[in-house]
Amino acid sequence: MIFPDSYFHAEYRMDFYIPEMMKHAWAAKLELLSVITSICKRHHIEYFACGGTLLGAIRHQGFIPWDDDIDIALKRPDYNRLIRLLPTELPHGFALGGMYADRPRNFMPSEQTVVITDALQWDLAEFYQYFHGFPYRQIGIDLFPFDYIPEDSQLVHIQSVLIQNIIVLVRDWNSLKAASLLEDKISEIEQLCNVSLTRDNDLSLQKQLLRLSDSLCSLYSENECSLLDNYPAMIARNTSILKKEWYHHIIEVPFENTTIAVPENYHEVLSVCFGSDYMTPRQISSTHHYPFYASQEKAFQECLLEKGYTGTIDDYCKKYLASK
């Protein structure tokens, strides 16, 4: 991707200050997005922006000024195809993270899949050049499956309880283990779902449970349902309110210096998810730590200090990395 030098200037958007490093972070995320979307296009897989990324695309033609995340979603059949393809289709330096990670070190106990940069495969200067002056070698983009939701509220309730129980079990793993309650909870899930899980180790068990939860999300097909949603998100808000026809047609809209795919009926989606006045900005806290690279920034600064470098990270990058 090509960005003009002016893109990386610090600026105010909607009275919110965006520093140079955040502009480099945005560019890095967009570069990672282009890796994912090129695979989707090559294999005729349809994706679309969701959540705050969809809102940013429509309201700001890019990132929400106080956000640094990109979230994309796929209908379940497309999601399953992409998950199978990514381990072999991702270029060197990129990896699949989350419950479908193909390497143990990239496993994350979360309900969504993540495409990440594999920090161990990147030289710092090489990463800096490839990702438009962003020096922190671990970035990711979340991929969310959108599943078809049945009409029968009792079926939805049963499905939701099982999914939520598994998610909570994995989330509270350490505390349940400390209280000697973990095995009972796992056995309960096995009985309710009529499955048998292999007791290899904690990581393997967590992965099996999360994949079981993901399977429970995908029980119904398009012709059985009128609603389409991400199950964990639907459970969190306690209702399913997104109609499948809103996602029948996907279009491209401007996003920063590129474009991003969104549902053609984005107005209906955003009105339901953010209210009818979604075009009125409100500065609310992100669901993740902002900026996402804060811990990496701290570690980098400490590493430079240990080596006797007392300047800023920006100065170090421009002096030692930009020219390589």
Side-chain angles (χ1 to χ4, degrees), residues 18-36:
I18 304 163
E20 285 187 24
M21 187 58 76
M22 181 55 69
K23 301 296 284 295
H24 290 286
W26 284 359
K29 285 286 184 99
L30 290 170
E31 190 67 51
L32 178 54
L33 178 65
S34 73
V35 170
I36 300 168

Side-chain angles (χ1 to χ4, degrees), residues 171-190:
R171 183 196 66 195
D172 297 341
W173 191 271
N174 291 333
S175 59
L176 290 169
K177 191 173 185 178
S180 300
L181 297 172
L182 185 60
E183 180 57 36
D184 288 344
K185 293 291 185 181
I186 295 172
S187 297
E188 182 182 346
I189 294 295
E190 289 178 314

Side-chain angles (χ1 to χ4, degrees), residues 86-191:
L86 284 173
T88 55
E89 289 286 316
L90 284 169
H92 179 77
F94 301 87
L96 191 61
M99 71 180 88
Y100 292 108
D102 54 342
R103 301 171 195 143
R105 70 173 182 268
N106 294 329
F107 170 74
M108 304 170 195
S110 60
E111 306 92 68
Q112 69 268 16
T113 294
V114 190
V115 175
I116 59 174
T117 52
D118 191 333
L120 297 179
Q121 296 182 9
W122 288 93
D123 171 77
L124 178 56
E126 180 188 17
F127 187 92
Y128 182 83
Q129 294 287 344
Y130 188 98
F131 286 101
H132 309 286
F134 188 67
Y136 308 116
R137 283 176 285 185
Q138 199 160 43
I139 59 175
I141 288 179
D142 292 332
L143 310 179
F144 294 91
F146 267 44
D147 287 293
Y148 294 98
I149 314 300
E151 306 286 341
D152 190 323
S153 60
Q154 287 187 322
L155 290 177
V156 175
H157 176 71
I158 293 169
Q159 211 176 356
S160 299
V161 168
L162 290 172
I163 293 165
Q164 187 172 34
N165 283 350
I166 294 172
I167 291 172
V168 171
L169 169 57
V170 174
R171 183 196 66 195
D172 297 341
W173 191 271
N174 291 333
S175 59
L176 290 169
K177 191 173 185 178
S180 300
L181 297 172
L182 185 60
E183 180 57 36
D184 288 344
K185 293 291 185 181
I186 295 172
S187 297
E188 182 182 346
I189 294 295
E190 289 178 314
Q191 292 173 12

Side-chain angles (χ1 to χ4, degrees), residues 13-291:
R13 293 191 188 180
M14 311 298 296
D15 296 324
F16 187 86
Y17 180 68
I18 304 163
E20 285 187 24
M21 187 58 76
M22 181 55 69
K23 301 296 284 295
H24 290 286
W26 284 359
K29 285 286 184 99
L30 290 170
E31 190 67 51
L32 178 54
L33 178 65
S34 73
V35 170
I36 300 168
T37 57
S38 66
I39 296 171
C40 289
K41 289 174 182 176
R42 191 160 62 246
H43 293 277
H44 307 288
I45 293 174
E46 193 173 70
Y47 84 95
F48 47 90
C50 63
T53 302
L54 174 59
L55 178 60
I58 302 305
R59 194 172 69 193
H60 304 278
Q61 291 76 56
F63 288 93
I64 296 173
W66 41 93
D67 195 13
D68 55 10
D69 207 13
I70 293 180
D71 293 327
I72 62 174
L74 305 93
K75 296 175 186 176
R76 174 59 68 172
D78 284 329
Y79 177 87
N80 286 347
R81 281 187 64 211
L82 185 60
I83 295 308
R84 289 193 296 269
L85 285 166
L86 284 173
T88 55
E89 289 286 316
L90 284 169
H92 179 77
F94 301 87
L96 191 61
M99 71 180 88
Y100 292 108
D102 54 342
R103 301 171 195 143
R105 70 173 182 268
N106 294 329
F107 170 74
M108 304 170 195
S110 60
E111 306 92 68
Q112 69 268 16
T113 294
V114 190
V115 175
I116 59 174
T117 52
D118 191 333
L120 297 179
Q121 296 182 9
W122 288 93
D123 171 77
L124 178 56
E126 180 188 17
F127 187 92
Y128 182 83
Q129 294 287 344
Y130 188 98
F131 286 101
H132 309 286
F134 188 67
Y136 308 116
R137 283 176 285 185
Q138 199 160 43
I139 59 175
I141 288 179
D142 292 332
L143 310 179
F144 294 91
F146 267 44
D147 287 293
Y148 294 98
I149 314 300
E151 306 286 341
D152 190 323
S153 60
Q154 287 187 322
L155 290 177
V156 175
H157 176 71
I158 293 169
Q159 211 176 356
S160 299
V161 168
L162 290 172
I163 293 165
Q164 187 172 34
N165 283 350
I166 294 172
I167 291 172
V168 171
L169 169 57
V170 174
R171 183 196 66 195
D172 297 341
W173 191 271
N174 291 333
S175 59
L176 290 169
K177 191 173 185 178
S180 300
L181 297 172
L182 185 60
E183 180 57 36
D184 288 344
K185 293 291 185 181
I186 295 172
S187 297
E188 182 182 346
I189 294 295
E190 289 178 314
Q191 292 173 12
L192 289 170
C193 298
N194 192 28
V195 298
S196 179
L197 302 175
T198 304
R199 305 296 201 274
D200 288 337
N201 52 59
D202 283 6
L203 187 151
S204 173
L205 263 172
Q206 289 175 359
K207 185 183 294 186
Q208 291 175 73
L209 283 162
L210 287 169
R211 291 187 178 188
L212 172 61
S213 172
D214 197 45
S215 296
L216 290 169
C217 292
S218 61
L219 290 177
Y220 296 93
S221 63
E222 181 177 6
N223 59 7
E224 297 175 277
C225 308
S226 63
L227 301 174
L228 182 71
D229 212 333
N230 173 255
Y231 243 108
M234 181 195 75
I235 292 168
R237 63 175 183 264
N238 201 32
T239 184
S240 177
I241 42 185
L242 302 175
K243 297 180 180 179
K244 69 178 183 182
E245 61 261 30
W246 294 347
Y247 296 89
H248 279 175
H249 301 289
I250 304 300
I251 61 173
E252 295 275 334
V253 299
F255 195 93
E256 298 298 329
N257 72 322
T258 183
T259 62
I260 198 166
V262 302
E264 187 175 44
N265 290 78
Y266 60 80
H267 173 69
E268 287 81 356
V269 174
L270 290 172
S271 294
V272 162
C273 294
F274 296 98
S276 58
D277 60 344
Y278 65 84
M279 290 299 289
T280 302
R282 296 183 184 85
Q283 284 191 31
I284 58 175
S285 299
S286 174
T287 56
H288 63 276
H289 294 294
Y290 178 93

